[in-house]
Each structure stands twice: as structure tokens, then as C-alpha cells.
Amino acid sequence: MGQLASPSSLSILFVLFVLIHSDGLMGEARDPFACDPRDPNTRNLPFCQVSKPIPKRVGDLIGRLTLQEKVKLLVDNAAAVPRLGIKGYEWWSEALHGVSNVGSGTRFEGDFPAATSFPQVITTAASFNASLWEAIGQAVSDEARAMYNGGKAGLTFWSPNVNILRDPRWGRGQETPGEDPMLAGQYAASYVRGLQGNAGDRLKVAACCKHFTAYDLDNWNGFDRFHFNALVSKQDIVDTFDVPFRMCVMEGKVASVMCSYNQVNGVPTCADPNLLRKTVRGAWRLDGYIVSDCDSVGVFYGTQHFTSTPEQAAADAIKAGLDLDCGPFLGLHSEKAVSAGLLKEADINGALVNTLTVQMRLGMFDGEPSTQPYGHLGPKDVCTPAHQELALEAARQGIVLLKNEGPILPLLAHHHRTMAVIGPNSDATVTMIGNYAGVACGYTTPLQGIRRYSRTVHQRGCADVACSDNRLFGGAIDAAAHADATVLVMGLDQSIEAEFRDRAGLLLPGRQQELVSKVAAASKGPVVLVLMSGGPVDVSFAKGNPKISAILWAGYPGQAGGAAIADILYGASNPGGKLPMTWYPQEYLTNLPMTDMAMRSNPSKGYPGRTYRFYEGPVVYPFGHGLTYTSFTHTIASAPTVFSVPLDGHRASNSSVSGKAIKVTHTRCSRLSLGLQIDVKNTGLRDGTHTVLVFSRPPGGQWAPRRQLVAFERVHVPAGGLQRVGVNIHVCKYLSVVDRSGIRRIPMGEHNLHIGDISHSVSLQAAILGVIKS
């Protein structure tokens, strides 16, 4: 679509378009997926009876299918069963940060030319605002249901991506909530709740947490995700990689989990019963289906050579717990696997129970869509002014102020009358929405946003983010030399970091750094550097350059990103975002292959460790860093100094308190929360929003993290005001650590809680209840 200066004006045009071109605002009517009440041959079949329990309906349907029909339902492009009135269904739709056109299940056309494109996940995560994440999920699912009702999308959306941003070079880090397991898990649960709705067992759409597990390498230095065997310790699996998936399933109640391409310790994740059947479905009690990443079964047969025949691969996947194949493999080879005695038809039935149950929970077997709870949603509910305003607000909340000397920001429109706007991302459109995006309702570029406040002189400086030459430097330098202030919008895009594309280093690409430095040296007024990127960038040169007064990181801020950047620059919005990942110097990567999965540092081998939880070296900007235009102080109003952890004596043994750390499984964890009351005072002159980050430093031990995030709360405090924030820390989840055997334990003794520049010590003590069995 062409650029539009205002999301709100676009909304009006879009709604007028819909009013003119749609029939009653519902668009093209969708026939029932199954159980058409007009079909006398099927409407009275038990699986079509909404009054019956879903398990009975599913059982009845499976009992009517032939083996040949069953295997054709094991793939994403599931075949129709005409004799039972069931239409074909494409399972693959995406909704990472808005309804996406990635995946065969979604089409932007007709009454649905676009959908609201929210900021990329890494930007939204920087808000540390769980209610915002859920609100975005609700808006996205409104638009998804509307497109389904209009015949342009499915109801099964393979989002969100909750993998840990373990290595800063990963091209897909932009899709994730960052490097902290607890933050990623909270994001997963919140976004999934927003997508799936709150109608009990019924689903608005079915979400999917992916890619399980230890998946965070795409294509680096000759290693790709299709061949990679991630060697991961039990400790790191439990302590880091599994945490967001566990929270997604157990707290978010997600309807689906996707297994990944890579192997973990020699076994493809999509063929590993310990991961799928034992953990996801068994220990975590997934109520839904498990799907492969696209063609993963074919990959572990044809590329990884894990099995000698395709029939064995199909059998291994289904018996491991895989229910659905994104790709044709299971549809082609499962029937032969049954004939060869490698697989039982009952195994296929078990997979279909899981997929068909989700479809019934979505109402796909309930007849006419328009009569269902979300049947009223249509084109009028897509790209609404409210959704576009939410996209703008999400971008504002996610932008992080990294540096502000002077302070120079916010800019003053009456003082900084002429702005030089420079850089390859200065007039960006699709760059702002990142990957796994759809067709945005419209774009407000940084240049357009700044023009609302000041007169602008625009120079790209670089032809693109690769910035391979200096041909355009002269115009940029001249513009800065004559303007009242200069904004450089630099950074990355999908040509630098993307799926299939990991970064080689952390510096700005090409000659971007040279352009920034020369423009800053020539600038008449203050210089602000704005960065678009998914992963961290080493901008040490700009951090230390006194001519560069301020630095903003916007991630990929979505369709309204330019408006949000301008609102922050000019003080219409007070920045409150915090970095969800560590920004490392380029030297961090020295002798650090992406293929080394270890999280903990090993000084004897020169291994630095990964993420703020385990890395102790120098950083450009730390996890959780973010400035504001006001100032806040913290005071602990109340907090315990001693906290009793009840040990279940009927399950306990001497090993429970081995090394002064109680096994979580031997603790009465239910509602075991440590409560804090924290007073947050705004000591500045501007209203502002502050994120209270609570970190814990567990008692010493080589296998404990240096510190870990245990709680966060975002609070708005007016200038001069004070707000009391209540924080509850679930002791078993967040004050525990994982030993080398992968056993989660709660260390007894002094835990130091850190909130900003204050700390509080609380002593955890075991209280043994009942009779101890030795």
C-alpha cells in the first residue's frame, strides 16, 4: 500500500472502503467448515451435535473415517472428507504481531486488504507490560476471526515464538521476547490468553508456542538449522530453554506447541518422545496438538538421516507425540507405516483426537459461523482506529531511551525548527514491521512523524542499510551542518537479520558508523541516533561520542513506528521501555561459536557465558537498561526478612535438602509467594511510567545464576507523585535454581533482592511438615 501520513486518517478511509464494498460489513460469507445444517445427510450425525461433549463428538467422527481419510488429515493442507460434509483445511496461519501473510492459510484480498501490524515482538517485550501483550493478542484475534469469517484465514495460528535470544547474532531474535526465560514465559502466557480468549474450553483462535526446543540458530558459518545438533545440558534445558514453553502451556493454556528442526542431544525434537509425549503432553498436560515446523519430519529423514526409511520416520514422529505435520510427509508415508507394522492405526487415531478436538473447540463443527460467538466479526473489525491506536501505543511503550546527555531530549519544536532527518531507515515503511508480518493498514515513517513537529530536510546518507559506499554522505553532512538538530535513523533490516540469516557481527553494517560520525562532527545542533534492529548493536562509538547527545532503540516498531519515534523525540510521550536483551561489545563474539549451547561461563576455557544471568563481562548496555525524561526512586515499604518454605514431610528424604537446597517437588508450592510492597516516587517534573524490575541473587553456588528476574510491574506515576506497587514472587518458580542434574531446587539461606539501586535480603528457611521418610 502507499504511505499514509496518519494511521487514524487511514482508518477512516479503510472503514469507508469497507462500507462501500462489503455486504453488511461481513464480507464474503463463509460456508460451514463442517456440519452444515442445510445438509440432511450430516446434520444429525453425533459429531455434529453441539449439545454432546466434545470428546464424544471426536470419537464418533474418528470412528467414521477410513484409514486413507485419516492419514490425509495428518498434514497442514488437510484433505476434505466430502461424504461427511467436511471441507479441506489449511492449518498454517501466522499471527506473530498481527495477522500475517506468511503461511498458506491467510490471504489479503477483497474486503481484507490489510491488518493491523503491531510492533515486532522484541519491541513489544521492551514494554515489560503484560496487560499490553494480552490486549494486542485480543486485537489480533479479533482481526483473525474476522478474516476467517470472510474466508481469508484459518483459525490455527502458529504464534508466538518464545525461544530464548541466547546469541545476539540470531536472525530470528527479533521474533522473540528476548533473553530472559521468565520474561519470555510471561509474554507467552499473556499473548496466548489474548489470542485464545476467555470462553472456557472454547477457543477464539488456537495459538501455538514454538519452536520447541533449544532452537536459536538459523544459518551461521556453515551450520544451519536443518543439520544442527544442539548439545544441551539437562541443567540448561530445564533452567533456560524449557521455561517459556512450560509457562506457555501451563499458565497460558496454549492449544498447540511446535517442535523444531534441530536435534537436541542427537535426537530430532519432532521424533523425541521424552520431549513431546513425556514432557509437553505428560508433565505439562498440553490440552491441544503438537505440530512440526514445516517439513521437519522430512528433514530428519532426508537431511539428518535419523531413520533409514520414510515409513520409519513417520512412525517415529507419531509415536513420539507429533499430531500434525506442516508438510506432506505424514500424509504420504503413514499408511505404509501401518501396513509395515511400524505404526498402529490407534496411534493415528490418537493424533487425530488432539487435532480434531482443537477444531471442535474452535467451533469448526458447529455449523453456520455467523451464529457462533465470534460470528459477528467482519471487515469493520480489521484496521479499526482502536487497533491502530493500540499499535501506536505499543510502539511508544517499547521504545528504549539508551542515552540522553544534557539532557537534550525531548526536543523543543519552537527551538529546533529545522530538523535534518538522515539515514537509510529514516523513511522506512516495511522495515518497521519486521518479519512474519502481513500487509499493514498503512505506515507512518520516522520522517513523516517528525514532520508533524518541525520542518525537515531529508537525506538518506546511505542507499540502504548495507551502506556500501559514501556517495550520499555529502548531502547528509551538509543538511546536518545547517539544521537546528539532526536525527539519524540507522540500524538493520531483513537483509541483515532474518530467518535463514544470522549476523556475522554486532556492528552497524557497512559504512553506517562512518556516516554517523561524520554527520555528528558537522552538525550545527544536537544529534540524536535512532536505531531500528531486532538484535543488539555495538554502538560504543556513539555512546562515547559527546557530539551524539541521545540514542533511541526502536526495534522494529510496527506500522505506526514513525509516529511513536517522533512522539518520544518531542516529549509527547515519555519513554519507559527497558532492554529485553544485553547489548554486547563486538569483542564478546571472539572465539564464541553460535553452536556452543552452554549458558554458564567457563573462565578456564575463556568461555564468557550467555545472557545477563551468566555473563559477567563488559556490555554496551545491560539487560533492563532504559532512561526516561523524569526520575524515579524506590523504597521498600514492607518485605519479610525471613520466609518459611514448607517441606512436605510425606515426600521428603535426606536428599531434599542436599546442599541446603530443597527440591521443588518436595515443597508445598501451591500459593507459596513472597510479597513485597515497593513505593515508587516520581521525583522529576514530568509524568512518567516506570517499570519495577525485581532481580534475585541466590545464595552462592557454581550452578546458580549471577542474578535472575523474578518479578516486574509497570506503573504510571505523575510528577511528584508516589505509587505503592505490590509484587508477589512465586518462590518455587522464581527463587529456585536448577542443579547439574536438571533438578529444580530452592536454595536455603540469604536471597538478595535488587530493585534499581536498592536491595533487600530475605532468608529462606525450611519448615519440615509431617513425618519425614528417610
Side-chain angles (χ1 to χ4, degrees):
M1 305 180 66
Q3 297 174 13
L4 295 172
S6 167
S8 59
S9 64
L10 176 87
S11 302
I12 296 169
L13 291 172
F14 185 84
V15 171
L16 287 173
F17 174 89
V18 170
L19 283 167
I20 294 169
H21 294 279
S22 67
D23 179 14
L25 298 186
M26 275 300 302
E28 184 180 328
R30 180 165 197 146
D31 290 332
F33 169 74
C35 301
D36 190 334
R38 296 164 295 187
D39 184 350
N41 296 316
T42 61
R43 65 188 179 195
N44 294 321
L45 295 176
F47 71 81
C48 290
Q49 303 305 304
V50 179
S51 60
K52 294 184 181 297
I54 285 178
K56 290 188 177 298
R57 298 172 68 192
V58 170
D60 176 75
L61 173 56
I62 291 175
R64 296 175 186 275
L65 296 170
T66 66
L67 177 59
Q68 292 73 29
E69 289 168 335
K70 290 174 183 177
V71 298
K72 292 179 181 178
L73 299 180
L74 296 174
V75 295
D76 65 294
N77 186 19
V81 187
R83 67 183 186 85
L84 295 178
I86 299 171
K87 294 181 171 61
Y89 180 67
E90 175 53 67
W91 286 80
W92 183 12
S93 291
E94 301 276 357
L96 184 70
H97 53 112
V99 179
S100 169
N101 57 5
V102 177
S104 307
T106 305
R107 304 185 309 281
F108 287 101
E109 60 188 20
D111 291 332
F112 300 92
T116 309
S117 195
F118 292 89
Q120 181 60 289
V121 177
I122 196 71
T123 302
T124 306
S127 70
F128 283 83
N129 186 347
S131 61
L132 173 68
W133 304 333
E134 187 166 344
I136 292 173
Q138 290 169 349
V140 172
S141 59
D142 274 355
E143 300 196 355
R145 263 286 176 171
M147 292 183 69
Y148 171 78
N149 290 341
K152 305 303 180 186
L155 288 176
T156 46
F157 288 84
W158 293 344
S159 305
N161 179 344
V162 298
N163 292 118
I164 297 298
L165 180 48
R166 173 187 61 97
D167 190 292
R169 292 165 287 195
W170 189 30
R172 300 188 73 175
Q174 61 183 288
E175 302 173 32
T176 77
E179 71 182 37
D180 181 78
M182 182 265 204
L183 172 63
Q186 291 280 15
Y187 175 87
S190 300
Y191 188 62
V192 166
R193 280 193 290 264
L195 285 176
Q196 296 190 165
N198 56 3
D201 191 47
R202 290 300 181 129
L203 297 168
K204 189 178 182 186
V205 304
C208 174
C209 279
K210 63 185 187 184
H211 314 79
F212 187 67
T213 184
Y215 169 68
D216 48 26
L217 179 151
D218 267 63
N219 194 342
W220 174 84
N221 203 29
F223 294 90
D224 67 57
R225 60 186 181 173
F226 304 121
H227 296 83
F228 182 52
N229 178 22
L231 301 178
V232 193
S233 69
K234 288 183 180 179
Q235 185 177 39
D236 285 339
I237 282 282
V238 175
D239 184 43
T240 297
F241 298 109
D242 280 4
V243 171
F245 291 96
R246 185 179 189 274
M247 293 175 67
C248 183
V249 174
M250 299 191 72
E251 298 177 26
K253 307 299 182 184
V254 75
S256 176
V257 169
M258 176 183 286
C259 50
S260 54
Y261 289 113
N262 55 289
Q263 297 185 3
V264 173
N265 300 325
V267 183
T269 64
C270 293
D272 191 338
N274 287 321
L275 291 179
L276 306 186
R277 196 170 295 281
K278 182 179 177 181
T279 301
V280 175
R281 190 166 300 284
W284 300 346
R285 301 182 298 279
L286 173 71
D287 183 12
Y289 69 98
I290 298 174
V291 61
S292 74
D293 205 340
C294 291
D295 207 32
S296 287
V297 185
V299 165
F300 79 64
Y301 165 67
T303 302
Q304 298 173 3
H305 307 296
F306 184 70
T307 66
S308 57
T309 67
E311 293 80 16
Q312 188 65 61
D316 283 1
I318 293 173
K319 288 193 292 187
L322 189 70
D323 303 309
L324 185 71
D325 181 17
C326 177
F329 198 92
L330 291 186
L332 294 173
H333 303 292
S334 296
E335 186 177 355
K336 291 180 181 178
V338 173
S339 299
L342 301 172
L343 191 65
K344 296 178 181 177
E345 187 169 353
D347 297 321
I348 293 175
N349 292 347
L352 293 179
V353 165
N354 297 325
T355 55
L356 293 172
T357 296
V358 167
Q359 288 184 316
M360 289 199 179
R361 292 173 65 196
L362 288 162
M364 294 174 67
F365 287 83
D366 291 357
E368 185 61 49
S370 64
T371 64
Q372 296 180 31
Y374 306 106
H376 64 284
L377 295 170
K380 70 182 188 304
D381 300 294
V382 181
C383 288
T384 66
H387 290 176
Q388 295 192 72
E389 179 62 30
L390 182 62
L392 173 60
E393 179 58 23
R396 291 185 187 122
Q397 290 193 23
I399 291 173
V400 181
L401 179 60
L402 299 174
K403 175 184 177 180
N404 192 18
E405 295 297 326
I408 189 59
L409 294 181
L411 299 171
L412 302 173
H414 66 273
H415 181 67
H416 303 107
R417 295 179 182 274
T418 301
M419 298 290 296
V421 183
I422 296 167
N425 284 334
S426 57
D427 202 23
T429 54
V430 293
T431 293
M432 296 193 300
I433 61 177
N435 71 352
Y436 279 79
V439 179
C441 309
Y443 301 98
T444 302
T445 74
L447 176 63
Q448 291 170 333
I450 292 168
R451 279 178 178 164
R452 296 174 180 175
Y453 290 93
S454 298
R455 189 170 72 85
T456 60
V457 179
H458 180 229
Q459 293 286 333
R460 290 184 62 83
C462 301
D464 50 37
V465 297
C467 201
S468 56
D469 58 61
N470 63 358
R471 288 179 299 163
L472 302 179
F473 280 21
I477 292 169
D478 183 67
H482 293 90
D484 296 322
T486 297
V487 176
L488 286 142
V489 191
M490 313 297 287
L492 315 179
D493 64 11
Q494 301 304 306
S495 70
I496 305 296
E497 56 177 355
E499 188 171 10
F500 306 114
R501 184 176 293 117
D502 297 325
R503 295 159 66 192
L506 303 181
L507 300 175
L508 285 170
R511 302 179 73 168
Q512 282 196 43
Q513 180 170 324
E514 179 186 351
L515 173 65
V516 173
S517 297
K518 287 185 174 180
V519 165
S523 180
K524 182 179 79 171
V527 176
V528 179
L529 175 61
V530 178
L531 298 165
M532 287 190 196
S533 72
V537 183
D538 182 355
V539 288
S540 301
F541 80 97
K543 180 182 179 182
N545 186 340
K547 289 283 288 181
I548 299 173
S549 301
I551 304 174
L552 282 177
W553 174 73
Y556 295 122
Q559 65 176 53
I565 289 168
D567 288 347
I568 296 288
L569 290 174
Y570 287 92
S573 184
N574 194 344
K578 305 285 186 184
L579 288 179
M581 73 294 208
T582 303
W583 283 36
Y584 305 91
Q586 172 72 11
E587 293 72 29
Y588 170 75
L589 302 181
T590 304
N591 300 320
L592 181 64
M594 279 191 75
T595 50
D596 196 323
M597 300 294 294
M599 298 300 297
R600 287 157 174 77
S601 63
N602 189 335
S604 66
K605 294 184 178 179
Y607 187 76
R610 297 183 180 276
T611 77
Y612 81 94
R613 298 170 69 224
F614 303 105
Y615 170 64
E616 298 189 30
V619 301
V620 180
Y621 291 108
F623 175 90
H625 176 73
L627 306 175
T628 181
Y629 296 154
T630 186
S631 54
F632 297 94
T633 60
H634 307 92
T635 305
I636 295 179
S638 67
T641 56
V642 177
F643 188 85
S644 294
V645 178
L647 189 63
D648 189 341
H650 295 284
R651 300 188 61 197
S653 67
N654 291 336
S655 64
S656 297
V657 290
S658 173
K660 297 184 179 178
I662 297 175
K663 287 183 178 180
V664 164
T665 54
H666 292 176
T667 306
R668 295 185 178 179
C669 287
S670 180
R671 295 186 294 278
L672 187 63
S673 292
L674 189 155
L676 305 177
Q677 295 290 321
I678 302 163
D679 286 340
V680 179
K681 185 173 184 181
N682 184 339
T683 58
L685 301 177
R686 289 176 174 267
D687 297 353
T689 300
H690 178 61
T691 298
V692 178
L693 300 178
V694 183
F695 295 93
S696 169
R697 189 183 298 274
Q702 291 185 347
W703 36 271
R706 293 174 57 244
R707 61 181 184 134
Q708 57 189 13
L709 185 68
V710 296
F712 59 87
E713 289 290 339
R714 188 176 172 102
V715 58
H716 184 79
V717 189
L722 182 147
Q723 291 284 349
R724 179 160 293 182
V725 179
V727 172
N728 290 305
I729 303 169
H730 194 291
V731 173
C732 292
K733 292 179 184 176
Y734 303 131
L735 295 185
S736 60
V737 296
V738 178
D739 69 17
R740 291 187 181 92
S741 299
I743 297 172
R744 188 169 287 279
R745 299 175 181 271
I746 306 170
M748 296 296 99
E750 295 292 322
H751 289 246
N752 292 306
L753 303 178
H754 297 264
I755 306 105
D757 56 358
I758 64 171
S759 62
H760 174 78
S761 292
V762 56
S763 177
L764 268 55
Q765 298 180 1
I768 301 177
L769 306 176
V771 179
I772 297 180
K773 297 180 180 179
S774 60

